[in-house]
Amino acid sequence: MQSVLAFAHMFNAATHYQIDYPDLSLILALVRGGTLARAAALLRVDVSTVFRAVRRLEAALGQTLFEKNRAGYLPTSLASNLAQQAERAEQALEAARIGVEQGGEVISGTVRLTCTDSVLQGLLLPALAQFMPGYPALTLELSTSNDFANLSRRDADIALRLTKTPPEHLVGRCLGTVNYQVCASAGFARQHDGHELADLPWIAPDDFLPDHPSVVWRREHLPGVRPSYRCNSMLSVTELVRAGLGVAALPDFLLGDGLQPLGPALAGRDTALWLLTRPDCRALRSVVTLFDELGRHVRLP
């Protein structure tokens, strides 16, 4: 009988307590901090205040929010879900403050964008620097990947991809053509002037990109070459070339800063840069805004 009464009390507390913004702020601070001390610092209160507040909130909800271990406080699934809601509330509040300050409508929310590390470095960052300061309430989550699947799995909202054949289930626009050229550092080019390409040390992507245009071209035109260095990203390939360790076929948007083409663009091995999103994302103002800004500011050579 006692256990039934206890359950009834817990259920009554959980169903009648109205969680408010300070509760969400408390949960978010402890999720972010992981310990009472760091959560207290984030909230600008003392540790005992955080400890008592968490105990009171758990009692009011009738559910455990955090599990204590040696590392600190681990959130339960309920606390993790509430922390996500707290972040959205935090962003909405910040957007409202900015709207009051600017006296107009504010684009807010979180947009997830994926691209390769080379596109991030060579094309995306210069574009973001031009327009993102004008959207202080917009949060951008960046991930680097060569896979289209992260859009299909809804892990991202927008993608910048190098391809001639974007998936048909995605929508977007072609931003232009990307060409590849065999390049070396200026010092390496001087030192090896007159040498045949096949006699030079080559730097190439490893098996993560077996059909990369540079790989296909090298196999066709220099079948006897075995790369001296193999990297798991085109940005790493570029940095090894810049360091003077050898030559590589690089996209034209990564040239510059001491890199020197050793010949014309690789014939028949150009590709395209596509700006892509999922059809369902076109209803999200934050995604549409970022998509349009990228379309205007991402510039190919």
Side-chain angles (χ1 to χ4, degrees), residues 147-259:
D147 190 9
F148 281 112
N150 44 17
L151 255 75
S152 302
R153 294 193 306 262
R154 300 176 181 268
D155 293 337
D157 305 309
I158 296 175
L160 278 166
R161 286 286 181 256
L162 294 171
T163 181
K164 282 189 172 181
T165 56
E168 294 183 357
H169 65 279
L170 301 178
V171 294
R173 68 181 73 159
C174 180
L175 300 183
T177 300
V178 174
N179 292 298
Y180 290 83
Q181 292 175 271
V182 177
C183 302
S185 69
F188 185 96
R190 287 193 301 269
Q191 184 180 356
H192 296 82
D193 186 30
H195 287 69
E196 296 293 330
L197 287 178
D199 298 329
L200 299 175
W202 276 77
I203 304 161
D206 60 20
D207 292 338
F208 86 105
L209 284 177
D211 300 319
H212 193 271
S214 66
V215 175
V216 175
W217 180 89
R218 192 188 74 247
R219 288 173 177 167
E220 288 178 350
H221 293 83
L222 302 169
V225 167
R226 295 294 177 265
S228 301
Y229 304 90
R230 291 161 61 83
C231 307
N232 66 354
S233 79
M234 284 304 297
L235 189 59
S236 299
V237 171
T238 305
E239 292 308 311
L240 265 67
V241 174
R242 200 187 311 279
L245 295 174
V247 301
L250 300 174
D252 51 14
F253 61 81
L254 289 179
L255 303 188
D257 294 333
L259 294 180

Side-chain angles (χ1 to χ4, degrees), residues 103-153:
E105 193 173 6
V106 175
I107 302 298
S108 64
T110 298
V111 180
R112 299 163 299 171
L113 191 154
T114 180
C115 62
T116 64
D117 55 359
S118 58
V119 169
L120 173 68
Q121 184 69 28
L123 297 172
L124 180 58
L125 293 183
L128 294 178
Q130 294 181 59
F131 68 83
M132 277 302 288
Y135 297 96
L138 188 62
T139 300
L140 186 58
E141 293 183 356
L142 294 170
S143 66
T144 53
S145 167
N146 294 288
D147 190 9
F148 281 112
N150 44 17
L151 255 75
S152 302
R153 294 193 306 262

Side-chain angles (χ1 to χ4, degrees), residues 258-280:
L259 294 180
Q260 178 177 319
L262 301 182
L266 307 186
R269 291 302 164 195
D270 58 288
T271 187
L273 178 67
W274 279 85
L275 177 63
L276 301 164
T277 187
R278 304 191 314 271
D280 60 291

Side-chain angles (χ1 to χ4, degrees), residues 4-138:
V4 172
L5 291 174
F7 175 80
H9 174 74
M10 181 178 68
F11 179 80
N12 185 62
T15 54
H16 285 81
Y17 183 77
Q18 299 294 315
I19 197 165
D20 56 17
Y21 187 74
D23 295 330
L24 292 178
S25 298
L26 170 69
I27 294 168
L28 183 59
L30 195 48
V31 168
R32 286 173 170 171
T35 67
L36 291 175
R38 286 196 286 267
L42 290 171
L43 294 170
R44 298 181 181 179
V45 297
D46 57 58
V47 172
S48 61
T49 298
V50 175
F51 177 76
R52 290 194 299 270
V54 172
R55 293 291 297 273
R56 282 197 298 267
L57 182 56
E58 287 182 329
L61 294 174
Q63 299 186 60
T64 300
L65 294 172
F66 295 90
E67 301 289 347
K68 182 73 170 66
N69 67 7
R70 292 181 180 179
Y73 280 70
L74 297 178
T76 62
S77 58
L78 174 61
S80 296
N81 290 334
L82 289 174
Q84 292 177 10
Q85 298 296 327
E87 286 186 327
R88 295 190 184 98
E90 186 179 66
Q91 292 168 0
L93 181 59
E94 180 63 17
R97 288 170 177 162
I98 294 171
V100 170
E101 292 172 4
Q102 297 182 350
E105 193 173 6
V106 175
I107 302 298
S108 64
T110 298
V111 180
R112 299 163 299 171
L113 191 154
T114 180
C115 62
T116 64
D117 55 359
S118 58
V119 169
L120 173 68
Q121 184 69 28
L123 297 172
L124 180 58
L125 293 183
L128 294 178
Q130 294 181 59
F131 68 83
M132 277 302 288
Y135 297 96
L138 188 62

